Amino acid sequence: MIVCQMPPGVDCWTIHGLWPGSLKQPSPRFCHTNSSFDLEKIQHLVPDLEKEWPSFFVERKESNFWKYEWKKHGTCAVVLSSLNSQELYFTKTLELKKQYDLLKILKENDIFPSTEKYYMLDNIKNALNSHFKVHVLVKCKNAKDFDHPLLSSVRICMDMNFTLIDCPASLKECKADSVLYLPVKPDEKKFSQPLTYVQVMLHKYGEY
């Protein structure tokens, strides 16, 4: 059984990854299998990564998550000069996370995390799409003990110049009428198991 838990100090949306993709073919993955991951090269970023890009698996090191994302996606992003090293890849992703503050955007539209209030999915989509002026991808998940799907992630799409673009219609998104937007750390006495965490996926599209 895999146990998930929100790490101490994490109180906002978190990063899943920065993923190179393609509009015309399957997204590239594991482009350089021999490329090593050296934690020392990004050691100065670790305090920010622990807060903004944490792992939720209790029995695994956080660095294992960063290593996996680098090998699966980062090694494909190196075709861009702005992402052609571990330091550049992780630094840029952290910058994008700071630039696109989902918690703030939703709050400005009267959408607040809650263990009881449900939000119409269209209201969440409209708030995000109006802010970004492009179509972003909103995803949700069903979870035990909840009668509504949980808002789980937002995918923001960009071109190779990091300009926002519409996320392709071919990508699957939440189809529910309403969702529960949980706080990062809800009342643990009310729920008997770890809750689905929220995350931000910064998905980059371009020709590869």
Side-chain angles (χ1 to χ4, degrees):
M1 178 180 177
I2 297 177
V3 179
C4 296
Q5 180 177 307
M6 185 66 67
V10 176
D11 58 2
C12 59
W13 288 73
T14 64
I15 298 167
H16 190 151
L18 176 61
W19 302 348
S22 174
L23 293 172
K24 297 183 178 180
Q25 58 190 3
S27 297
R29 297 179 178 182
F30 299 105
C31 295
H32 301 282
T33 56
N34 294 328
S35 177
S36 61
F37 174 81
D38 186 353
L39 183 60
E40 288 300 317
K41 292 181 178 179
I42 57 170
Q43 193 63 47
H44 60 294
L45 298 175
V46 166
D48 288 332
L49 290 171
E50 288 177 338
K51 178 177 175 58
E52 307 291 357
W53 201 335
S55 170
F56 297 92
F57 295 126
V58 173
E59 298 180 358
R60 299 180 188 177
K61 294 181 179 179
E62 287 186 326
S63 59
N64 287 347
F65 183 31
W66 307 329
K67 176 181 179 180
Y68 178 79
E69 287 296 309
W70 166 252
K71 283 185 167 290
K72 184 176 181 180
H73 302 291
T75 58
C76 301
V78 296
V79 296
L80 296 180
S81 60
S82 58
L83 300 174
N84 67 1
S85 70
Q86 276 185 213
E87 181 178 7
L88 289 174
Y89 175 76
F90 286 99
T91 298
K92 183 62 176 181
T93 307
L94 288 170
E95 289 175 355
L96 291 172
K97 165 61 167 56
K98 184 177 181 179
Q99 182 178 350
Y100 302 122
D101 188 340
L102 296 179
L103 187 66
K104 179 180 178 182
I105 294 168
L106 292 175
K107 283 183 176 180
E108 289 174 347
N109 287 272
D110 296 321
I111 299 173
F112 300 91
S114 172
T115 58
E116 299 179 352
K117 184 176 181 179
Y118 299 100
Y119 291 97
M120 297 303 294
L121 184 63
D122 282 345
N123 291 344
I124 294 175
K125 287 183 177 180
N126 290 339
L128 295 172
N129 292 340
S130 295
H131 178 86
F132 292 116
K133 301 189 183 333
V134 294
H135 175 70
V136 301
L137 194 73
V138 178
K139 299 181 74 69
C140 59
K141 291 183 178 180
N142 293 316
K144 183 180 178 181
D145 295 335
F146 298 97
D147 56 5
H148 278 65
L150 307 181
L151 177 63
S152 61
S153 67
V154 171
R155 186 174 297 180
I156 304 169
C157 300
M158 308 172 191
D159 63 18
M160 296 182 74
N161 295 312
F162 298 100
T163 300
L164 296 177
I165 62 172
D166 290 327
C167 288
S170 59
L171 294 177
K172 294 181 180 179
E173 58 183 324
C174 183
K175 299 298 184 183
D177 292 327
S178 58
V179 294
L180 186 60
Y181 174 26
L182 291 175
V184 174
K185 294 183 178 180
D187 184 355
E188 294 179 358
K189 296 179 181 180
K190 185 172 183 179
F191 303 113
S192 60
Q193 64 179 22
L195 299 168
T196 302
Y197 54 84
V198 291
Q199 58 192 229
V200 57
M201 297 183 183
L202 300 170
H203 196 140
K204 184 172 180 304
Y205 273 82
E207 297 296 335
Y208 280 80

